[in-house]
Amino acid sequence: MASLNRCIFLNKTHISSSCSPLSLKRHSESLKLSSVISERNDRVLMESSLKDSVLELDPVSAVNDGVLDFYGEVMAMEDQGVTPWTVSVASGYNLLRNPHHNKGLAFTDKERDTHYLRGLLPPTVISQDLQVKKLLYRIRQYQVPLQKYMAMMDLQESNEKLFYKLLIEHVEELLPVVYTPTVGEACQKYGSIFRRPQGLYISLREKGKILEVLRNWPEMGIQVIVVTDGERILGLGDLGCQGMGIPVGKLSLYSALGGVRPSACLPVTIDVGTNNDKLLNDEFYIGLRQKRATGQEYKELVHEFMAAVKQNYGEKILIQFEDFANHNAFDLLEKYGKTHLVFNDDIQGTASVVLAGLIAALKLVGGTLADHKFLFLGAGEAGTGIAELIALEMFKKMNTPLEDARKKIWLVDSKGLIVSSRKESLQHFKKPWAHEHEPIQDLVDAVKVSFLPSPFKFLHKPMKVPISFQDIKPTVLIGTSGVGRTFTKDVVEAMAAINKKPIILALSNPTSQSECTAEEAYTWTEGRAIFASGSPFDPVEYNGNVFVPGQANNAYIFPGFGLGLIMSGTIRVRDDMLLAASEALAAQVTQENLDKGLIFPPFTNIRKISANIAAKVAAKAYELGLAGRLPQPKDLVKHAESCMYTPSYPNYR
């Protein structure tokens, strides 16, 4: 019975004395196919066991003069324990409900006959391309972004290949639907829109059993895991278990943009509770109803998870940390970066994509990175991660001593400018950015400098500020605060007063948390800003010119970065790989893009971009001796393209 409880997969056709020859034939075929396609020995029941436990059972009388079926439905009504079992061979009705194999109306007449679909579908046969056209039309009918998100999730759960083909072919239109900014609202309302589980939920209740939980996942060939604990979802705060929308969305992009097989992707949420009282009092909340666990209890659960993942999937499994709070994110990356293949997209992915944008922007403003000054609003994992990678690029490419490079970078947090007098009270990841300067509370004061009368018409009187402010003079303003509209008119105009082409990056997500809008940036700088944001903004017309804002979206980096790690069999992530990814992305920005003010390439070419990033990352892994798949392919770009998942329908025999 223990093996029976582990899941018995049988054909739905009831085996009894009244079975037809066709039913018996289908049952026999199903059993044979089941033993061939099963990837897990503990889910395969020997034919002798099947015969003993099912085939020799005789129908027995049941209530209402019915016959007891083998699903135990009648016994279930009598409150007796039954064993759930289902079909293992994808055919007939069940094939249409298997998202990995379903083709909908694209099943050919021959396939409908072979796989018992005749009559289960309308008679017409249409192509996958026509299906894409039809679904895109339907999604465009929705006016509310969350409705579009739910429609896409429904498609992913019913026809996986069609979902990815639609997303790949219309990525610029649908990326904001399946990811930022819409995914933020989806996470906030995840409990009320929750339909089918799309990953593993590991809570405190599973402590001591996490390896067993991982083995419950039906796929064994996992190559990448995206995991969150839901404490800092985008700029929305603690959403607890409902943060699952982020790993699901990220892994959709791994497959669509980076070509990693969907079956090789596993979304995971670690649920240790939430400090969000609104969720705890929400009857639709799907997570643990308790305050968030911290300290040793939290560390032990995460450590068990990390050990179980490595034990179950091996050394080369990529674990991407997503939306952990600052106090855990840095510690986890530091601790497990030495023993696992780990990557934090908020710290490292954001840094890599922003650095790429800055490298591309140099073609518009001139000079090298070392010639510029950087001022950040926000000193969390994103801000400090970007700052450190910028300094590292100066150190590696321009031979600027790392300490000197850091002095060109200034950070403002909720208490003002980070300066040396605050060093004792700072968190460890902020301390490298505590430079000598008098305290400044407001961002606008950190931007302003004393200067000669300006030719810009919006300045009516000179700014009188202390002379010590002159040593900042930022040429680049970067927002990672998670607080909307903090790049005020005064701040942006001050940037324009000291820079011919101020670089302004409002990176916080979702759109409501963006430090300023594209329209504000272009208007307040009289069309001179080089602007990019975390969430997408529409083109802006100003004084007869149309400006196209760029989007510093992590989706440029992490899918290709992950593909490069996977295809090379890399066992550890190093900063040099992040720099390689940044340079590869910046190289994809054309002069035509720059002429429009874009410092990132269009997403229409994202699969090509990802292949180039993957190749550079893999090359760096081979150079550092961290790649495990030997020998190294001669053409890494072509190899990356050949590794990519393609969501075209197969022909079924």
Side-chain angles (χ1 to χ4, degrees):
M1 185 57 70
S3 60
L4 197 60
N5 286 333
R6 190 64 179 163
C7 289
I8 301 176
F9 294 100
L10 299 175
N11 192 288
K12 186 175 179 180
T13 307
H14 294 185
I15 306 301
S16 70
S17 58
S18 61
C19 286
S20 67
L22 178 59
S23 296
L24 288 171
K25 178 184 176 183
R26 291 177 61 181
H27 176 74
S28 176
E29 291 173 352
S30 297
L31 290 179
K32 290 178 183 178
L33 284 171
S34 178
S35 64
V36 172
I37 67 173
S38 176
E39 295 181 358
R40 302 178 62 177
N41 292 334
D42 60 344
R43 286 194 172 186
V44 176
L45 193 61
M46 299 299 293
E47 289 186 12
S48 59
S49 298
L50 285 172
K51 185 174 181 180
D52 292 340
S53 60
V54 178
L55 300 185
E56 294 183 353
L57 289 177
D58 293 324
V60 297
S61 298
V63 294
N64 299 327
D65 297 324
V67 174
L68 175 63
D69 68 301
F70 292 105
Y71 292 106
E73 291 173 352
V74 176
M75 291 182 67
M77 289 189 291
E78 297 174 353
D79 294 327
Q80 297 185 24
V82 298
T83 300
W85 57 279
T86 184
V87 195
S88 65
V89 180
S91 64
Y93 187 83
N94 292 282
L95 176 55
L96 296 178
R97 278 148 185 79
N98 185 317
H100 306 299
H101 305 299
N102 182 28
K103 295 164 62 173
L105 290 177
F107 282 111
T108 65
D109 285 330
K110 182 179 179 181
E111 289 171 333
R112 296 182 189 202
D113 287 332
T114 304
H115 296 280
Y116 311 103
L117 297 172
R118 184 65 67 182
L120 300 181
L121 291 166
T124 188
V125 176
I126 65 175
S127 67
Q128 191 178 20
D129 289 335
L130 186 57
Q131 286 179 313
V132 167
K133 182 178 180 181
K134 174 184 176 181
L135 283 163
L136 185 64
Y137 172 80
R138 189 178 78 186
I139 288 170
R140 285 172 175 170
Q141 303 310 301
Y142 294 114
Q143 300 300 312
V144 179
L146 187 61
Q147 291 178 328
K148 295 183 178 185
Y149 173 89
M150 294 173 66
M152 288 296 289
M153 292 304 101
D154 285 345
L155 177 59
Q156 187 178 24
E157 293 169 6
S158 62
N159 189 328
E160 185 178 85
K161 289 184 174 63
L162 186 56
F163 167 83
Y164 284 111
K165 186 173 177 64
L166 176 63
L167 180 55
I168 290 169
E169 293 184 359
H170 300 277
V171 63
E172 287 189 299
E173 179 176 350
L174 295 177
L175 185 60
V177 173
V178 300
Y179 199 57
T180 56
T182 311
V183 73
E185 183 183 0
C187 287
Q188 289 176 307
K189 300 176 180 177
Y190 211 74
S192 58
I193 67 174
F194 179 84
R195 297 184 183 182
R196 293 177 56 187
Q198 291 180 287
L200 281 179
Y201 295 85
I202 298 175
S203 74
L204 289 169
R205 294 176 184 173
E206 281 70 61
K207 189 175 182 181
K209 300 181 289 186
I210 294 180
L211 182 59
E212 181 182 338
V213 172
L214 290 176
R215 288 173 175 168
N216 286 340
W217 189 250
E219 302 288 349
M220 283 299 294
I222 301 300
Q223 295 176 317
V224 57
I225 291 173
V226 175
V227 58
T228 186
D229 70 353
E231 189 169 5
R232 193 201 61 81
I233 297 298
L234 300 175
L236 303 171
D238 188 349
L239 297 184
C241 190
Q242 297 190 168
M244 178 59 94
I246 297 296
V248 169
K250 288 277 186 180
L251 287 169
S252 295
L253 301 187
Y254 259 110
S255 297
L257 313 186
V260 179
R261 290 180 296 105
S263 61
C265 299
L266 174 57
V268 175
T269 289
I270 295 177
D271 185 3
V272 295
T274 178
N275 293 331
N276 188 327
D277 290 331
K278 183 178 179 181
L279 290 178
L280 291 174
N281 295 320
D282 184 350
E283 63 178 327
F284 297 131
Y285 181 57
I286 59 176
L288 289 179
R289 293 181 183 274
Q290 66 173 62
K291 290 293 184 178
R292 184 172 285 275
T294 58
Q296 193 63 24
E297 186 179 20
Y298 176 89
K299 292 178 181 178
E300 287 177 357
L301 187 70
V302 173
H303 187 71
E304 183 187 346
F305 167 73
M306 296 298 291
V309 165
K310 196 170 183 178
Q311 181 178 345
N312 201 47
Y313 299 118
E315 184 83 14
K316 297 173 184 176
I317 178 75
L318 172 60
I319 304 169
Q320 179 170 312
F321 295 123
E322 197 68 40
D323 287 354
F324 285 76
N326 292 339
H327 56 271
N328 289 320
F330 289 99
D331 291 343
L332 292 174
L333 188 59
E334 172 67 20
K335 179 177 181 179
Y336 294 107
K338 301 170 184 175
T339 59
H340 292 67
L341 181 65
V342 295
F343 171 71
N344 186 305
D345 192 41
D346 304 300
I347 299 173
Q348 297 167 299
T350 301
S352 189
V353 73
V354 173
L355 176 59
L358 293 173
I359 293 172
L362 293 176
K363 298 175 183 178
L364 294 172
V365 298
T368 67
L369 285 177
D371 296 323
H372 291 268
K373 292 282 189 71
F374 305 84
L375 180 62
F376 286 76
L377 178 62
E381 52 196 278
T384 55
I386 298 167
E388 187 62 32
L389 202 64
I390 292 172
L392 190 62
E393 177 77 358
M394 292 186 205
F395 171 67
K396 294 276 187 178
K397 299 299 181 183
M398 284 144 267
N399 296 319
T400 304
L402 193 58
E403 193 58 35
D404 291 345
R406 286 175 176 156
K407 288 179 180 178
K408 298 177 180 293
I409 301 169
W410 298 80
L411 277 66
V412 175
D413 64 8
S414 59
K415 296 180 181 179
L417 188 67
I418 294 178
V419 293
S420 55
S421 61
R422 294 178 51 196
K423 203 162 189 175
E424 293 304 316
S425 63
L426 291 173
Q427 294 165 286
H428 66 90
F429 54 86
K430 295 183 182 181
K431 289 184 178 181
W433 315 105
H435 308 316
E436 289 293 335
H437 200 286
E438 66 180 73
I440 301 176
Q441 182 61 42
D442 297 325
L443 177 66
V444 65
D445 291 331
V447 174
K448 290 178 180 179
V449 295
S450 70
F451 55 95
L452 295 173
S454 169
F456 305 126
K457 66 182 182 182
F458 53 77
L459 296 172
H460 302 297
K461 56 183 179 180
M463 302 176 187
K464 296 180 180 180
V465 295
I467 196 71
S468 62
F469 285 8
Q470 292 189 51
D471 62 355
I472 299 181
K473 293 184 179 179
T475 55
V476 181
L477 181 63
I478 300 176
T480 60
S481 63
V483 181
R485 304 302 182 266
T486 43
F487 288 176
T488 63
K489 185 177 182 182
D490 285 345
V491 170
V492 175
E493 287 186 347
M495 281 293 295
I498 57 174
N499 295 288
K500 183 178 179 181
K501 290 184 177 181
I503 299 174
I504 298 175
L505 308 180
L507 302 179
S508 293
N509 286 315
T511 309
S512 60
Q513 308 304 111
S514 184
E515 285 78 10
C516 71
T517 66
E519 183 177 9
E520 290 167 343
Y522 292 124
T523 301
W524 293 338
T525 62
E526 297 184 325
R528 292 183 288 111
I530 298 171
F531 177 81
S533 56
S535 292
F537 284 102
D538 293 331
V540 175
E541 184 176 352
Y542 179 81
N543 279 353
N545 296 315
V546 176
F547 299 92
V548 183
Q551 187 186 0
N553 194 319
N554 290 20
Y556 278 115
I557 290 290
F558 72 82
F561 188 82
L563 177 62
L565 298 175
I566 292 168
M567 75 183 201
S568 60
T570 303
I571 58 173
R572 299 289 182 270
V573 171
R574 295 290 180 262
D575 288 336
D576 283 348
M577 299 175 189
L578 298 169
L579 297 177
S582 298
E583 292 160 7
L585 175 57
Q588 300 297 307
V589 181
T590 65
Q591 187 59 48
E592 182 182 356
N593 302 147
L594 294 170
D595 291 341
K596 296 178 181 178
L598 283 169
I599 56 175
F600 295 100
F603 266 105
T604 49
N605 298 323
I606 188 60
R607 303 260 290 191
K608 177 183 176 183
I609 293 167
S610 292
N612 279 275
I613 291 173
K616 293 296 185 183
V617 171
K620 185 59 67 172
Y622 282 109
E623 178 186 327
L624 297 174
L626 295 171
R629 291 196 169 91
L630 301 173
Q632 177 180 340
K634 292 182 180 179
D635 190 328
L636 284 168
V637 175
K638 288 184 178 179
H639 182 64
E641 291 173 341
S642 70
C643 291
M644 285 184 164
Y645 162 78
T646 303
S648 299
Y649 288 147
N651 294 318
Y652 295 141
R653 291 193 295 269

